[in-house]
């Protein structure tokens, strides 16, 4: 008998040890998992830190600190008008702009600390610039650059305290702790049950251990909230910090609660039939009995009194803490009570049915166990669903924070700038909200236009001189155009000024003598500054504020410059915009929106004149190889056409001038041409006639009509085509294709509301071919051809032959293989690309590359195209060209490309491989051509 007890005692002891291990490891694993995905993940951490700004008290405290720093930096307004000044800063902090830049600063600092850089400092310089721009402080009220840098690092003491915390060194350990904690606790619990002599009781104990672990996690979150609150100087800030921590750790708290819910379900399911249940009455009776037993002795009464006093003081000190704890406990008890009721009902029903059907049957216990197990599984699944629902919001926020946005949409980062569309305003400076502006063509200022979604500005620079005249009711001087200093006489649009407008401007100028000591400056105005102007520097300040506050947006400016490049660019440099300007290289492919944004240079500057000394490389001459356009003088909507105007036909960017000439400008007439149906109709016609995506669509009165929505839709459609071409798949947008690099066949008349992207050739029959082999070879061939087409379309004219050299050999081999098994109709569409690719191979052979070299180029290109689901054709081209240049030489490679393009002009529809309706493809057995 003793020999039997010894093993049982050992098993019991081991089972208890396993239970203790499970109890210790489970909360460690859960907290480590949360820390690994949140605390040590920079994007998520920065998002939750910025969440602090949701609290008015936190914003007030931050504004107070920044105002204090501004005062120390010598800001006069911060010293003399601190209360009002602080309110203004607090309002600036409560903007999406500030939060975006603050999030970036926290993320970079967090990454530096994780990398072991204890000297990392939270740099808020960009945020301070936004505050200064938002407040529109006068120059003498703003701190200098050195002061801004000091102000920007004013929270360095907080950063240092963060960096000194040893917790950051545990990043690598959290992964191991997560695996050890979660995996070890499960194994330990399973071992405890396997070793137990009374497994039902052990399962129930496991349930209560899970409940306890969940409550420990919840209690830890509450303790962190309480502790952080004690660090604040004021009660208001303490409440704000506790609320922020509560939001930031909400998913960990929810995980703890749902973990406790799991335990409740398991404990309830394992309750033995007939055992006493914990009800309000039984709980009250147990507590009352315990109190009565304590009161039976003097020591017990003293101890009971001490417990009551401490509990009462604790409740008074933190009523909300204990109230929340009571709510949690009540909720868990209700869950337990409900689960036990349900399990008790199941036990009774199964027993009754078993007795009626087969009284005393041996299968009754097994049947009851199966039913209870099924009910328990359903309850656990419901709890899992609740856990996922309550934690999904935090995960979605972190995922969104980790995405790179490009012009408002993460998906647009893949678009090269000449495949993207930019809503634009014509004569952007001509706004009714600017003082003294007559004949305005917009209502909103430049800032207002940019904030509403405009991403390209067309404006004119002129020399002006302040006069002594004033407009009635205005204190601003009237500006007289300095015709003698103009770079050139008005040309282009400026040459077509209405004679009445010219006469009116001359009359105003005649009555406006030059002000004493007035100096000539650069102004934004449309031909005649007498009828409305703003200093060029003011317009640039508005642009700079937007660019710095919207680091994920690319903006284009097209300047009709009557001022010299030296004077125009000097104003741009003085405004501090030069670090934000991207320089295009005529020998390299055009960048994508994502590339520009990642480089930190999100502004493109074009000038219609740009002639003369002093023009830096980033001051691109618009119509000298970069932009082509339509005419711009229309009296009626019916006159609007797509005929070529300025710019070479192979210029990569296409400007659509889309406004009516009117004196005075008429918003009602403008609304007609800005409507979505009319706008889409013209964009489609221009694309079909010119073979070029409309990149810059310039209108008057941009808030009237559907410009922004139309451009957004077109960008999404274009993106679908780019991704389909990269992946070697058919488009999911009906009737659309990758934009042709040259004009394709005439398109059918567009219908209102149709896509802006051009339709490709429709193929309504498929004859012959080998469907199975074709479908096996098609993805690789289309991927290479698509990459070739995209690389070709983003290459400037001077570098276009390089894409042929890079992709031609691989395309030749892929097209030859596909051509041999393609149906007749698709084979015919392959002929132009097949012939061109074959000509590229011959040109490389003529240059001295043997067959082994050609094979190496093909293999490299195929590997590069296949290396990801959506390869970047520009990167593929660069890698392949590097190999070609080692075979020839850089100079010889460029010569081959130039001579090839000169002798092989692109044919219309070169990359138009056709579009097969699904029903036609299905009927002919070409299932791979059916839209996914």
């Amino acid at each position: 008998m003793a020999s039997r007890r010894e093993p049982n005692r050992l098993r019991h002891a081991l089972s208890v040890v396993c239970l203790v291990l499970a109890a210790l490891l489970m909360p460690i694993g859960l907290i480590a998992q949360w820390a690994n995905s949140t605390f040590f993940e920079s994007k998520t951490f920065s998002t939750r830190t910025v969440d602090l700004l949701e609290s008015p008290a936190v914003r007030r405290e931050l504004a107070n600190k920044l105002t204090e720093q501004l005062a120390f930096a010598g800001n006069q307004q911060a010293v003399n008008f601190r209360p009002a000044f602080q309110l203004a800063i607090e309002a600036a902090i409560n903007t999406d702009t500030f939060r975006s830049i603050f999030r970036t600063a926290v993320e970079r600092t967090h990454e530096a600390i994780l990398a072991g850089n204890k000297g990392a400092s939270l740099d808020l310089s960009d945020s301070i610039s936004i505050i200064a721009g938002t407040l529109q402080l006068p120059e003498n009220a703003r701190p200098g650059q050195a002061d801004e840098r000091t102000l920007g690092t004013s929270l360095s003491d907080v950063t240092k305290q963060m960096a000194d915390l040893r917790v950051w060194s545990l990043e690598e350990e959290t992964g191991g702790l997560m695996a050890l904690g979660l995996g070890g606790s499960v194994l330990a619990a399973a071992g405890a049950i396997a070793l137990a002599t009374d497994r039902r009781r052990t399962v129930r104990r496991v349930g209560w251990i899970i409940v306890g672990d969940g409550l420990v996690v919840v209690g830890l979150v509450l303790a962190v909230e309480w502790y952080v609150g004690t660090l604040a100087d004021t009660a208001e800030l303490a409440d704000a910090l506790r609320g922020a921590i509560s939001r930031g750790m909400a998913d960990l708290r929810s995980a703890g609660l749902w973990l406790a819910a799991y335990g409740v379900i398991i404990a309830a399911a394992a309750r033995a039939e007939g055992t006493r249940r914990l009800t309000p009455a039984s709980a009250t009776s147990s507590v009352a009995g315990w109190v009565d037993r304590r009161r039976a002795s003097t020591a017990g009464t003293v101890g009971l009194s001490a417990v009551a006093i401490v509990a009462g003081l604790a409740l008074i000190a933190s009523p909300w803490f204990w109230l929340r704890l009571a709510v949690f406990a009540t909720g868990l008890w209700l869950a337990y009570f409900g689960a036990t009721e349900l399990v008790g009902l199941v036990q009774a029903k199964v027993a009754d049915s078993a007795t009626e059907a087969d009284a005393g049957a041996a299968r009754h216990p097994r049947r009851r166990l199966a039913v209870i197990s099924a009910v328990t599984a359903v309850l656990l699944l419901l709890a899992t669903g609740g856990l996922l629902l309550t934690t999904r919001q935090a995960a979605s926020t972190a995922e969104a924070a980790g995405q790179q946005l490009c012009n408002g949409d993460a998906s647009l980062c893949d678009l090269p700038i000449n495949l993207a569309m930019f809503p634009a305003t014509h004569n952007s400076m001509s706004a009714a909200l600017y003082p003294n502006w007559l004949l305005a063509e917009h209502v909103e200022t430049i800032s207002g236009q940019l904030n509403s979604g405009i991403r390209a500005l067309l404006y004119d620079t002129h020399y002006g001189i302040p006069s002594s005249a004033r407009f009635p009711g205005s204190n601003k001087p009237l500006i007289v155009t300095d015709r003698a200093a103009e770079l050139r006489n008005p040309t282009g649009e400026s040459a077509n000024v209405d004679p009445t407008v010219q006469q009116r401007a001359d009359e105003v100028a005649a009555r406006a003598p030059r002000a004493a000591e007035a100096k000539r400056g650069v102004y934004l105005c449309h031909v005649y500054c007498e009828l409305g102007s703003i200093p060029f520097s003011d317009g640039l300040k508005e642009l700079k504020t937007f660019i710095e506050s919207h680091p994920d947006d690319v903006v284009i400016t097209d300047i009709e410059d009557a001022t010299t490049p030296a004077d125009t660019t000097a104003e741009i440099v003085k405004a501090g915009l030069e670090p934000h300007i991207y320089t295009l290289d005529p020998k390299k492919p055009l960048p994508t929106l994502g590339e520009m944004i990642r480089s930190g240079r999100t502004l493109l500057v074009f000038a219609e004149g740009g002639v003369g000394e002093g023009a830096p490389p980033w001051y691109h001459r618009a119509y000298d190889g970069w932009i082509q356009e339509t005419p711009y003088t229309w009296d009626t909507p019916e006159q609007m056409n797509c005929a070529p105007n300025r710019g070479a036909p192979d210029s990569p960017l296409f400007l659509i001038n889309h406004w009516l000439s009117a004196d005075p400008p008429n918003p009602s007439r403008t609304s007609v041409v800005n409507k979505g149906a009319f706008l889409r109709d013209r964009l489609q016609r221009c694309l079909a006639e010119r073979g070029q995506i409309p990149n810059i669509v310039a209108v008057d009165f941009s808030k009237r009509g559907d410009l922004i929505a139309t451009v957004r839709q077109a960008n999404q459609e274009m993106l679908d085509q780019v991704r389909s071409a990269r992946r070697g798949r058919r488009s999911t947008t009906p009737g659309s294709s990758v934009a042709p690099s040259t004009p394709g066949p005439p398109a059918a008349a567009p219908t209102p509301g149709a896509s802006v992207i051009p339709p490709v050739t429709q193929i309504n029959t498929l004859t012959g071919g080998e469907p199975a082999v074709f479908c096996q070879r098609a993805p690789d061939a289309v991927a290479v051809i698509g990459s070739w087409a995209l690389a070709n379309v983003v290459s400037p004219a001077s570098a276009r032959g390089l894409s042929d050299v890079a992709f031609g050999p691989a395309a030749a081999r892929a097209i030859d293989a596909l051509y041999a098994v393609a149906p007749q109709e698709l084979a015919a569409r392959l002929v132009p690309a097949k012939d061109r690719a074959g000509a590229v191979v011959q040109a490389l052979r003529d240059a001295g590359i043997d067959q082994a070299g050609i094979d190496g180029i093909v293999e490299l290109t195929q590997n590069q195209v296949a290396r990801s689901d959506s390869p970047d054709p520009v990167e593929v081209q660069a890698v392949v060209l590097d190999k070609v240049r080692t075979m020839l030489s850089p100079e010889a490679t460029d010569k081959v490309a130039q001579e090839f393009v000169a002798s092989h002009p692109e044919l219309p529809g070169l990359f138009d491989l056709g579009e097969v309706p699904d029903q036609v493809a299905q009927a002919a057995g070409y299932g791979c051509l059916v839209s996914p």
Side-chain angles (χ1 to χ4, degrees):
M1 194 73 176
S3 59
R4 291 183 179 179
R5 290 178 181 176
E6 290 299 328
N8 286 343
R9 288 177 181 176
L10 179 60
R11 289 178 59 187
H12 177 72
L14 291 174
S15 178
V16 171
V17 169
C18 288
L19 287 175
V20 173
L21 283 175
L24 294 175
L25 291 175
M26 189 170 294
I28 293 174
L30 186 62
I31 294 170
Q33 187 276 333
W34 177 84
N36 196 51
S37 62
T38 303
F39 200 68
F40 294 106
E41 210 289 314
S42 295
K43 292 186 182 297
T44 306
F45 181 84
S46 61
T47 299
R48 302 198 180 200
T49 301
V50 172
D51 192 44
L52 289 167
L53 299 180
E54 294 293 333
S55 166
V58 172
R59 292 197 301 269
R60 190 174 306 114
E61 186 68 18
L62 181 57
N64 176 59
K65 189 171 184 64
L66 293 176
T67 305
E68 181 179 293
Q69 292 294 324
L70 279 167
F72 283 127
N75 186 292
Q76 185 178 3
Q77 292 190 17
V79 173
N80 296 332
F81 307 102
R82 175 166 180 169
F85 198 81
Q86 181 172 326
L87 284 175
I89 291 182
E90 186 178 340
I93 291 172
N94 190 27
T95 62
D96 291 337
T97 295
F98 182 90
R99 289 190 178 116
S100 175
I101 295 182
F102 185 70
R103 179 184 294 109
T104 301
V106 172
E107 180 182 337
R108 290 173 179 171
T109 305
H110 189 263
E111 289 173 346
I113 293 175
L114 289 180
N117 181 9
K118 292 189 176 182
S121 178
L122 184 58
D123 189 348
L124 297 181
S125 299
D126 290 337
S127 300
I128 301 306
S129 297
I130 297 309
I131 291 175
T134 303
L135 296 178
Q136 298 183 348
L137 303 176
E139 291 300 325
N140 63 356
R142 298 189 186 193
Q145 182 61 34
D147 290 333
E148 284 191 19
R149 183 61 52 183
T150 301
L151 186 60
T153 57
S154 61
L155 298 181
S156 59
D157 55 338
V158 178
T159 311
K160 186 177 185 304
Q161 293 176 15
M162 288 176 57
D164 289 340
L165 293 175
R166 296 181 60 186
V167 69
W168 303 110
S169 62
L170 299 177
E171 179 186 9
E172 296 182 359
E173 285 76 4
T174 55
L177 287 174
M178 177 179 67
L180 175 64
L182 297 180
S185 62
V186 172
L187 292 176
I193 296 171
L195 292 169
T197 55
D198 187 343
R199 289 178 179 171
R200 179 194 289 271
R201 178 182 295 178
T202 304
V203 169
R204 193 177 188 194
R205 287 174 177 173
V206 168
W208 287 121
I209 286 173
I210 294 175
V211 171
D213 285 343
L215 292 179
V216 165
V217 172
V218 173
L220 180 63
V221 174
L222 296 177
V224 171
E225 293 178 25
W226 170 81
Y227 176 72
V228 169
T230 62
L231 301 178
D233 296 331
T234 65
E236 185 179 20
L237 182 58
D239 290 340
L241 290 174
R242 287 171 180 149
I245 295 298
S246 178
R247 288 191 298 270
M249 301 181 73
D251 52 348
L252 180 59
R253 184 177 62 244
S254 296
L257 287 173
W258 286 108
L259 182 66
Y262 284 131
V264 162
I265 293 171
I266 293 172
R271 186 181 68 87
E273 186 176 0
T275 58
R276 183 185 178 192
R277 290 186 297 131
L278 184 64
T279 64
S282 64
T284 302
S285 176
S286 297
V287 172
W290 181 85
V291 171
D292 288 339
R293 289 192 295 274
R294 302 288 84 71
R295 294 176 65 186
S297 65
T298 302
T301 302
V302 172
L304 184 62
S305 301
V307 169
I309 292 172
V310 171
L313 292 176
L315 288 172
I316 294 172
S318 301
W320 287 110
F321 173 85
W322 294 106
L323 179 61
R324 292 173 65 187
L325 196 61
V327 170
F328 292 154
T330 302
L332 288 175
W333 175 82
L334 288 174
Y336 173 77
F337 180 76
T340 55
E341 285 290 310
L342 184 60
V343 170
L345 178 64
V346 169
Q347 289 174 335
K349 291 294 183 181
V350 172
D352 291 344
S353 61
T355 301
E356 294 174 2
D358 189 12
R363 296 177 56 193
H364 165 58
R366 294 182 181 179
R367 181 180 179 187
R368 183 173 58 186
L369 177 62
V371 174
I372 292 176
S373 298
V375 171
T376 303
V378 170
L379 292 175
L380 290 174
L381 285 175
L382 291 174
T384 302
L387 172 62
L388 294 176
L389 287 174
T390 54
T391 57
R392 185 175 60 180
Q393 184 176 3
S396 300
T397 301
E399 181 180 358
Q403 289 184 335
Q404 171 69 64
L405 297 180
C406 297
N407 284 34
D409 193 325
S411 60
L412 297 183
C413 296
D414 287 343
L415 284 185
I417 59 172
N418 67 322
L419 293 184
M421 293 180 66
F422 297 79
T425 49
H426 156 248
N427 285 341
S428 309
M429 69 287 169
S430 178
L433 292 182
Y434 286 128
N436 301 347
W437 205 289
L438 305 179
L439 308 179
E441 290 155 300
H442 304 280
V443 176
E444 300 87 356
T445 62
I446 289 174
S447 293
Q449 294 167 33
L450 291 169
N451 288 327
S452 69
I454 295 299
R455 292 298 177 266
L457 303 170
L458 281 60
Y459 46 54
D460 307 354
T461 58
H462 290 272
Y463 289 116
I465 302 174
S467 73
S468 58
R470 300 287 190 275
F471 274 96
S474 172
N475 291 324
K476 291 187 176 293
L478 183 144
I479 306 300
V480 177
T481 311
D482 189 351
R483 293 290 170 203
E486 295 281 296
L487 178 64
R488 52 182 167 75
N489 291 326
T491 60
E493 185 195 1
S494 299
N496 301 318
V497 177
D498 190 288
T500 305
V501 174
Q502 180 177 356
Q503 179 182 357
R504 189 179 310 166
D506 291 341
E507 291 174 354
V508 172
R511 297 194 299 268
R514 176 172 177 163
E517 300 181 356
K519 295 181 179 180
R520 183 179 70 236
V522 180
Y523 289 83
L524 291 177
C525 49
H526 184 46
V527 185
Y528 300 105
C529 294
E530 294 82 356
L531 302 181
S533 68
I534 63 170
F536 188 30
S537 58
D538 288 356
L540 293 175
K541 287 177 185 176
E542 294 185 58
L543 177 59
K544 181 174 183 284
T545 296
F546 179 83
I547 287 176
E548 290 185 339
S549 62
H550 294 75
D552 297 330
D553 287 275
V554 172
V555 179
I556 296 175
T557 60
D558 183 7
I559 307 172
E560 185 176 338
D561 49 342
T563 53
T564 66
D567 288 342
T568 310
T569 58
E571 291 287 339
I572 295 173
V573 172
K574 182 180 177 182
L577 279 168
E578 188 174 26
H580 300 286
I581 302 176
Y582 194 96
T583 302
L584 298 174
D585 188 335
K587 296 182 179 181
K588 292 183 179 180
L590 295 173
T592 63
L593 295 177
E595 289 171 13
M596 292 184 64
I597 289 168
R598 287 189 293 273
S599 74
R601 296 179 178 270
T602 56
L603 176 63
L604 281 173
V605 177
F606 296 97
E608 296 185 4
V611 181
E613 297 181 358
W618 49 259
Y619 196 65
H620 309 100
R621 294 183 62 182
Y623 300 112
D624 188 12
W626 291 115
I627 297 178
Q628 55 179 297
E629 67 163 0
T630 67
Y632 42 71
T633 303
W634 324 105
D635 293 325
T636 65
E638 293 73 24
Q639 293 177 345
M640 288 184 164
N641 60 51
C642 304
N645 196 32
R646 294 174 291 179
D650 58 359
S651 298
L653 299 176
F654 186 18
L655 165 62
I656 302 290
N657 297 310
H658 193 81
W659 63 85
L660 294 175
S661 302
D663 181 34
N666 189 327
S668 297
R669 293 187 67 213
T670 297
S671 298
V672 175
V673 298
N674 285 2
K675 286 184 177 179
F678 187 92
L679 188 58
R680 282 189 293 269
D681 179 273
R682 184 163 183 238
L683 293 177
Q684 287 178 306
R685 285 189 286 113
C686 289
L687 192 149
E689 293 178 22
R690 302 283 289 271
Q692 182 83 15
I693 290 291
N695 303 113
I696 305 171
V697 186
V699 304
D700 284 343
F701 298 104
S702 58
K703 290 294 287 289
R704 303 182 71 90
D706 307 302
L707 172 67
I708 306 297
T710 300
V711 168
R712 184 181 299 115
Q713 175 191 351
N715 277 332
Q716 290 297 331
E717 293 167 355
M718 189 70 250
L719 178 70
D720 181 72
Q721 306 315 307
V722 169
R723 289 182 171 174
S724 295
R726 286 185 177 183
R727 296 170 181 168
R729 300 172 184 169
R730 293 188 65 204
S731 164
T732 56
T733 303
S736 56
S737 71
V738 175
S741 57
T742 55
T751 57
S755 168
V756 172
I757 307 303
V760 296
T761 301
Q762 291 292 305
I763 299 176
N764 295 317
T765 59
L766 292 177
T767 307
E770 301 178 36
V773 182
F774 176 88
C775 286
Q776 182 181 4
R777 297 177 180 177
D780 292 338
V782 174
V784 172
I785 297 171
S787 295
W788 183 15
L790 290 174
N792 186 69
V793 80
V794 300
S795 296
S798 58
R800 190 154 290 167
L802 291 173
S803 62
D804 296 312
V805 171
F807 291 95
R813 183 167 301 181
I815 294 174
D816 285 346
L818 191 65
Y819 181 85
V821 296
Q824 297 176 12
E825 296 81 358
L826 291 181
R829 301 306 312 168
L830 289 169
V831 169
K834 180 177 182 295
D835 292 344
R836 188 174 185 84
V840 172
V841 174
Q842 187 59 51
L844 291 174
R845 285 175 177 158
D846 294 341
I849 299 180
D850 58 17
Q851 185 59 46
I854 297 293
D855 292 342
I857 295 172
V858 171
E859 182 179 359
L860 177 61
T861 307
Q862 291 174 338
N863 291 338
Q864 288 293 312
V865 171
R867 65 187 167 84
S868 69
D869 185 52
S870 183
D872 186 342
V874 173
E875 295 179 3
V876 174
Q877 175 177 315
V879 172
V880 177
L881 287 178
D882 286 343
K883 182 177 182 66
V884 177
R885 287 173 177 135
T886 61
M887 297 178 176
L888 300 173
S889 70
E891 296 76 15
T893 302
D894 292 341
K895 183 179 179 181
V896 169
Q898 293 166 3
E899 291 179 350
F900 180 82
V901 170
S903 60
H904 294 81
E906 293 181 6
L907 299 176
L910 173 63
F911 298 114
D912 179 5
L913 303 185
E915 184 81 6
V916 181
D918 288 350
Q919 59 271 26
V920 174
Q922 197 73 51
Y926 289 89
C928 57
L929 297 179
V930 176
S931 300

